[in-house]
């Protein structure tokens, strides 16, 4: 088993280094055709550890299988062999190895699944494993599982706080490790950037790009009214279709600016808008600067900003887009309509009573107070005259 894994790791490291330093696209294309054979490695590895996965020494093989599910499917085509192998790996990991050193190496593969069982295994590694590096990797895996990467599901402040705490744990315990093929420090920096700049309630990065209509540079936020940033690509059919819907929103929300952003040249944007017969301008982001600042990995993607640049809504348009947009705009209008707080009316003047038993009014015992300081007591009300009762007779 160790020989198979060592040969694989050596070949994979050499290939990654060659691909990284490749200077042209042609060389990269050739390298993609000559990747290390994971299918053969899967067969050889399963032949050595397949009899019993419950032994601690098989943990590296289990991690490898979880990281290469596609290789298993190609190595064992037909039937459910590959699926059974993965289930056996999960069973062995959950029941026998969550406390073993190196269990955290499976966090990368587990975080790529939204299966509740994978999240349970991550929580067990985090809580039960005694090795700080494995605890940190499991925490990072949980933070990645909690991340909402698509759709219009809006940010929950408690969820963001929980993710921040898990990322902090990863920084403390495994900052110099690797989370699968990615260095932990790079991944943590990226996640913290999103939490600090791209979550709802945060101020989004500023944008300054030329307009396809006039060629003048447009800066966002402009401080005038809310802006719906629509990140689209003329080469993507889904984003082109959504741009037509976004253009129609200008009639429904006259108090909102719809501003598309495209990662192509000015000529490409103009040609696309002309073919679509859309009377709307788009910002030209030929260098994909705004796409990088807003971490747009796929199109379409939307961000609703208030006049000061605060993010009110974000996500990939889906069935919840309309509902979230109406809710965000109504909430914004409600805040704008609130009247400025008025100063409270002045209280009526009240006579302040003289201080009682203070040093300047206290009178020593046995000494009469001056007439000017003697308390004036109100006169008692005069009672009406009452006749005396009759006298009793004197006894004889």
């Amino acid at each position: 088993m160790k020989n198979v894994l060592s040969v694989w790791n050596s070949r994979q490291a050499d290939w990654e280094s060659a691909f990284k330093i490749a200077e042209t696209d042609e060389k990269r294309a050739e390298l993609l055709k000559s990747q290390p054979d994971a299918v053969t490695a899967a067969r050889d590895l399963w032949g050595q550890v397949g009899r019993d996965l419950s032994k601690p020494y098989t943990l590296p093989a289990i991690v490898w299988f979880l990281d290469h599910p596609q290789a298993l499917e190609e190595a064992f085509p037909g039937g459910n062999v590959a699926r059974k192998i993965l289930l056996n790996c999960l069973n062995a990991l959950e029941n026998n190895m969550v406390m073993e050193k190196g269990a955290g190496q499976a966090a990368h593969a587990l975080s790529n699944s939204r299966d509740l069982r994978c999240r349970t295994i991550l929580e067990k590694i985090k809580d039960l494993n005694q090795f700080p590096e494995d605890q940190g990797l499991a925490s990072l895996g949980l933070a990645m599982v909690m991340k909402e990467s698509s759709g219009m599901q809006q940010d929950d402040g408690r969820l963001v706080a929980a993710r921040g705490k898990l990322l902090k744990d990863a920084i403390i315990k495994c900052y110099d490790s690797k989370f699968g093929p990615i260095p932990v420090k790079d991944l943590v920096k990226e996640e913290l950037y999103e939490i600090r700049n791209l979550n709802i309630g945060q101020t989004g990065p500023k944008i300054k790009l030329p307009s396809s209509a006039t060629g003048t540079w447009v800066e966002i936020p402009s401080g005038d009214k809310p802006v719906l940033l629509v990140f689209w690509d003329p080469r993507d059919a889904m984003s082109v279709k959504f741009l037509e819907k976004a253009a129609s929103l200008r009639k429904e929300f006259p108090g909102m600016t719809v501003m598309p952003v495209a990662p192509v040249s000015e000529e490409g944007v103009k040609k696309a808008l002309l073919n679509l017969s859309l009377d709307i301008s788009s910002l030209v982001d030929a260098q994909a600067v705004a796409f990088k600042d807003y971490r747009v990995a796929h199109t379409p993607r939307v961000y609703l900003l208030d006049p000061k640049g605060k993010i009110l809504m974000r996500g990939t348009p889906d069935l919840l887009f309309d509902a979230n947009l109406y809710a965000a705009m109504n909430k914004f209008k409600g805040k704008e309509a609130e009247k400025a707080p008025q100063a409270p009316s002045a209280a009526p003047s009240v006579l302040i009573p003289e201080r009682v038993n203070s040093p300047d009014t206290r009178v020593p015992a046995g000494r009469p107070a001056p007439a000017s300081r003697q308390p004036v007591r109100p006169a008692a009300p005069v009672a009406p005259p009452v006749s005396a009762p009759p006298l009793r007779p004197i006894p004889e």
Side-chain angles (χ1 to χ4, degrees), residues 30 35 57 80 129 133 135 178 185 195 282 312 319 379:
E30 293 179 0
Q35 292 187 26
Y57 75 88
N80 295 323
N129 198 290
E133 182 181 9
Q135 295 173 0
K178 275 194 171 184
K185 57 184 178 181
I195 289 177
S282 175
L312 304 176
L319 295 176

Side-chain angles (χ1 to χ4, degrees), residues 58-385:
T58 62
L59 178 58
I62 291 175
V63 173
W64 192 93
F65 286 137
L66 294 177
D67 281 332
H68 300 85
Q70 186 64 33
L72 279 175
E73 292 182 3
E74 296 180 12
F76 303 98
N80 295 323
V81 178
R83 180 174 177 273
K84 290 180 180 179
I85 292 175
L86 291 175
L87 286 177
N88 290 336
C89 289
L90 289 176
N91 290 335
L93 181 62
E94 182 178 11
N95 298 327
N96 303 301
M97 300 184 186
V98 291
M99 300 179 66
E100 296 292 332
K101 183 176 177 60
Q105 298 297 326
H108 175 260
L110 296 174
S111 67
N112 289 328
S113 173
R114 291 299 181 263
D115 192 339
L116 181 59
R117 184 183 186 187
C118 293
R119 177 168 179 169
T120 301
I121 296 175
L122 285 172
E123 291 176 346
K124 287 184 177 180
I125 296 174
K126 175 181 175 295
D127 296 335
L128 302 179
N129 198 290
Q130 302 299 315
F131 299 95
E133 182 181 9
D134 295 324
Q135 295 173 0
L137 292 173
S139 296
L140 183 55
L142 288 171
M144 299 305 295
V145 169
M146 293 180 182
K147 181 179 180 180
E148 179 59 42
S149 58
S150 63
M152 295 300 299
Q153 298 291 341
Q154 301 303 293
D155 302 303
D156 188 321
R158 295 170 297 180
L159 182 62
V160 174
R163 291 187 64 232
K165 185 177 180 180
L166 291 170
L167 291 173
K168 180 181 178 181
D169 192 47
I171 292 173
I172 295 174
K173 297 179 179 179
C174 63
Y175 188 72
D176 295 326
S177 303
K178 275 194 171 184
F179 189 73
I182 309 171
V184 170
K185 57 184 178 181
D186 295 342
L187 186 58
V188 166
K189 289 178 182 177
E190 186 67 18
E191 295 303 310
L192 290 178
Y193 174 87
E194 182 174 355
I195 289 177
R196 293 173 179 173
N197 300 281
L198 300 179
N199 275 337
I200 292 179
Q202 302 294 337
T203 300
K206 292 184 178 180
I207 294 178
K208 190 174 183 180
L209 295 170
S211 172
S212 62
T214 60
T216 57
W217 288 74
V218 178
E219 188 172 355
I220 296 174
S222 61
D224 185 12
K225 52 185 178 180
V227 180
L228 181 67
L229 291 176
V230 181
F231 290 92
W232 71 293
D233 192 334
R235 299 161 292 187
D236 177 30
M238 291 294 296
S239 61
V240 169
K241 183 178 180 180
F242 178 75
L243 185 63
E244 298 177 354
K245 174 181 175 61
S248 66
L249 294 175
R250 295 178 297 176
K251 296 181 180 179
E252 295 186 51
F253 300 97
M256 178 184 71
T257 301
V258 178
M259 186 60 66
V261 185
V264 294
S265 64
E266 183 176 354
E267 295 180 359
V269 174
K270 289 182 178 180
K271 183 177 179 181
L273 293 176
L274 183 62
N275 293 336
L276 294 172
S277 301
L278 288 178
D279 183 19
I280 187 173
S281 62
S282 175
L283 298 183
V284 180
D285 190 16
Q287 302 299 324
V289 176
F291 271 68
K292 293 176 183 177
D293 288 344
Y294 278 85
R295 298 303 191 262
V296 179
H298 51 82
T299 55
R301 183 80 172 174
V302 295
Y303 282 89
L304 178 63
L305 311 180
D306 73 358
K308 295 182 179 180
K310 183 179 178 181
I311 298 176
L312 304 176
M313 184 189 75
R314 68 167 187 163
T316 301
D318 59 8
L319 295 176
L320 296 176
F321 170 76
D322 291 338
N324 287 342
L325 180 60
Y326 277 91
M329 288 301 296
N330 289 336
K331 186 176 181 181
F332 173 77
K333 291 179 181 178
K335 289 184 178 180
E336 289 293 315
E338 290 179 358
K339 295 182 179 180
Q342 299 180 355
S345 57
S349 58
V350 180
L351 296 177
I352 302 176
E354 187 178 5
R355 289 177 295 177
V356 179
N357 202 29
S358 61
D360 56 344
T361 59
R362 188 180 299 118
V363 179
R367 180 180 176 182
S372 60
R373 294 191 179 181
Q374 288 184 355
V376 179
R377 299 179 181 178
V382 179

